[in-house]
Amino acid sequence: MAEPRRRAREHGIPFDGTPGPFNAITDVPGVEVGYSTLISGDGPLRVGDGPVRTGVTAILPAGRGAIGSAVAAGVHAFNANGEMTGNAWLTETGSLSLPVMITNTHAVGPCHRGVIDWVVANRPDLARGWLLPVVAETWDGYLNDINGAHVTPAHAMAAIDAAVGGPVPEGIVGGGTGMMCYGFKGGSGTASRVVPYGPDTYTVAAFVQANFGRRDELRIAGVPVGRLLADADADADARGWDGDWAAPPGAGSCIAVLATDAPLLPGQCTSLARRAPLGLARTGTTGSHFSGDLVLAFSTANRGALTSTFPTADPTADDYAALRFIPWGRLDAFYEAAVQAVEEAVVNVLTTATSLTGRDDHHAEALPVGRVEDLLSRRLGRA
């Protein structure tokens, strides 16, 4: 009987911090997530025909109705062996006004076009100006016919149309469909943290597309789970994949998106993004040269204040924008929340993703959560 796949906390895995009601990026009010998942075909790879194990993820910072109204944002490259389009303009202005798309490495172009096509069809007023979509990627070529043109602009549009709030599906969905993580089946995952701030309460949340790490690096709740699993099974493949494969252990990438409703300046969003790799490190990675680990962080507060519009007349006495923000000296609790949310989001990927076989019968085994529970129970029980 197949092992049930549940979120990490449902397996008794301990984490620091207090999650929001969904323990997801959608705990930040207004944020919506949508997927297009593509799974078809089996057997030998025939480029253009499959097998297909891929997809598209859309993250809408303030929902479909607010596309075009900018929020504060910042980006960070922990290791820049990857792609995130639109980040030059995002860095220049500190603003984000379109959906964030995540897909496979060779599908960045179709998703970029798909965002433009969606805006042309649904917001022709915005299409009169320039559009610089943010599309990020990780490489799923171990399981997927990545060189086949399977992801189309229509799939990107469908992911935007499918975006909703509430609970977020995890594991083998959307852009994470064909990904690996620590030598086990990877994918999409999310988590959130509540941050009290005087009389107010804010949320910091993470979404990850996890496709990184060597199996022997994996740590959960501080326990070297990957090494212990290999020690217990002399036949275990520490690479975590089988078949004819040249990529070194740890190759892959991770895209992390951080969202918060705390009022932050663009520079503070960048600082928040810089903390995401600390959450990745808690799960064991040391940051492979062959892993493109890119982070985008945004704040939904002050929405619209950073929107760029063409001037139609000379400025008046009222032509100013204002930003309310958390003082720099009080950001530590938000940094801590970001680290905690990223860590849990990665572990949620591993506990929810199911085993999957793809091109050339390459197989990605799911994390054996029953064995992990036993290891954690023994190790943490002694502490």
Side-chain angles (χ1 to χ4, degrees):
M1 182 177 295
E3 193 173 28
R5 308 304 292 180
R6 303 188 300 273
R7 305 190 80 192
R9 287 175 183 260
E10 296 177 61
H11 290 284
I13 298 173
F15 296 97
D16 296 329
T18 302
F22 301 118
N23 196 13
I25 195 169
T26 48
D27 285 326
V28 176
V31 175
E32 297 176 347
V33 177
Y35 296 119
S36 288
T37 302
L38 287 69
I39 298 177
S40 64
D42 294 291
L45 171 66
R46 293 196 305 166
V47 175
D49 292 330
V52 180
R53 307 285 189 271
T54 194
V56 183
T57 299
I59 300 175
L60 281 56
R64 275 183 299 278
I67 288 175
S69 182
V71 298
V75 294
H76 172 65
F78 172 52
N79 191 63
N81 194 348
E83 180 63 88
M84 180 183 289
T85 69
N87 68 70
W89 181 242
L90 196 155
T91 300
E92 175 77 16
T93 64
S95 66
L96 172 69
S97 60
L98 295 172
V100 177
M101 312 299 290
I102 318 176
T103 187
N104 80 60
T105 308
H106 294 176
V108 169
C111 289
H112 193 279
R113 182 70 238 182
V115 175
I116 294 171
D117 288 348
W118 190 95
V119 173
V120 169
N122 294 276
R123 290 294 306 275
D125 56 314
L126 298 179
R128 295 176 63 193
W130 70 95
L131 298 171
L132 297 171
V134 175
V135 185
E137 53 74 30
T138 63
W139 197 83
D140 60 12
Y142 175 65
L143 295 173
N144 177 49
D145 174 18
I146 193 169
N147 292 323
H150 302 293
V151 175
T152 69
H155 292 122
M157 296 175 72
I160 296 171
D161 284 330
V164 293
V168 177
E170 293 169 292
I172 303 177
V173 287
T177 299
M179 304 303 167
M180 301 285 292
C181 186
Y182 288 112
F184 296 102
K185 186 65 192 75
S188 305
T190 188
S192 70
R193 291 296 184 270
V194 173
V195 181
Y197 187 80
D200 299 318
T201 300
Y202 296 110
T203 298
V204 175
F207 182 97
V208 299
Q209 182 165 296
N211 187 52
F212 68 99
R214 297 194 318 265
R215 182 173 291 195
D216 62 288
E217 291 180 319
L218 175 61
R219 302 181 73 88
I220 296 177
V223 176
V225 165
R227 191 182 72 236
L228 293 171
L229 288 172
D231 289 346
D233 183 358
D235 295 325
D237 180 358
R239 293 168 61 89
W241 44 53
D242 54 15
D244 55 332
W245 207 242
S253 293
C254 183
I255 300 300
V257 178
L258 295 173
T260 184
D261 57 346
L264 300 184
L265 298 170
Q268 294 174 325
C269 290
T270 301
S271 291
L272 195 71
R274 290 196 188 104
R275 270 62 187 185
L278 299 177
L280 300 181
R282 286 190 177 192
T283 66
T285 183
T286 52
S288 168
H289 167 74
F290 297 99
S291 184
D293 305 314
L294 308 178
V295 188
L296 183 151
F298 62 83
S299 165
T300 60
N302 299 303
R303 181 166 62 84
L306 294 170
T307 303
S308 295
T309 57
F310 293 129
T312 57
D314 292 335
T316 68
D318 296 323
D319 276 335
Y320 292 92
L323 298 173
R324 180 173 181 258
F325 61 94
I326 303 288
W328 279 96
R330 294 191 179 276
L331 287 178
D332 282 357
F334 299 93
Y335 294 157
E336 181 180 31
V339 173
Q340 293 171 352
V342 169
E343 177 190 16
E344 185 170 359
V346 171
V347 182
N348 278 337
V349 169
L350 291 166
T351 63
T352 58
T354 55
S355 299
L356 186 67
T357 299
R359 53 157 284 196
D360 296 322
D361 295 323
H362 287 172
H363 184 68
E365 189 67 24
L367 179 74
V369 289
R371 294 175 64 189
V372 171
E373 287 177 358
D374 290 341
L375 288 171
L376 295 182
S377 178
R378 291 199 299 271
R379 281 299 185 105
L380 301 178
R382 287 198 206 96

